Amino acid sequence: MKQQVHVTTLATADLEAARRFYVEGLGWRPLLDVPGEIVFFQIAPGTVLAFFEAGKFAQDLGRGPGRPEVSGVTLAHNVADRDAVRAVVDAMSAAGGTVLTAPEEGAFGGVFHALVADPNGVVWEVAHNPGWSVDADGTVRLG
């Protein structure tokens, strides 16, 4: 198996709230949008993030009608500088996100970051780490 992930799918209790947050609030464009079921976003070359209505997600997994929740996971969005951290957090908050941790110095590696939950509780870390970079093609360089 190659070391790559093409699609990350998250169970979403309120798909309409997710759609409003990402499409209307943050200006993301769906790659594919199936109302009442799932919405896909191309987030980098070869990488898709999907929000799947939780009941249908559970059914797809063969787990019955339960509604799984996302926990123990953060999605990270790295930006070029501290002001960009603040700007993205402000945009996410204005779109209906909940700021869990305001922009601040992190405990590790010189990072300046914040944590924001989307309307379904998906936690995003918005970060600037001066030792990391993201190339135009999406390649992440650590250290």
Side-chain angles (χ1 to χ4, degrees), residues 45-72:
T47 306
V48 173
L49 179 62
F51 295 93
F52 200 171
E53 192 281 322
K56 290 184 168 86
F57 181 89
Q59 182 181 4
D60 192 51
L61 295 177
R63 299 216 172 135
R67 294 186 166 267
E69 294 183 13
V70 176
S71 67

Side-chain angles (χ1 to χ4, degrees), residues 1 5 21-22 24 37 39 45 58-59 63 65 68 70 84 88 92 111-113 118 127 140:
M1 179 177 167
V5 173
F21 180 77
Y22 292 99
E24 297 170 20
E37 188 173 319
V39 61
Q59 182 181 4
R63 299 216 172 135
V70 176
V88 170
M92 292 177 96
V111 67
F112 181 79
H113 68 149
D118 82 356
V140 177

Side-chain angles (χ1 to χ4, degrees), residues 11 14 23 28 39 41 55 106-107 129 140-141:
D14 187 340
V23 175
W28 288 20
V39 61
F41 297 98
N129 187 323
V140 177
R141 305 210 182 266

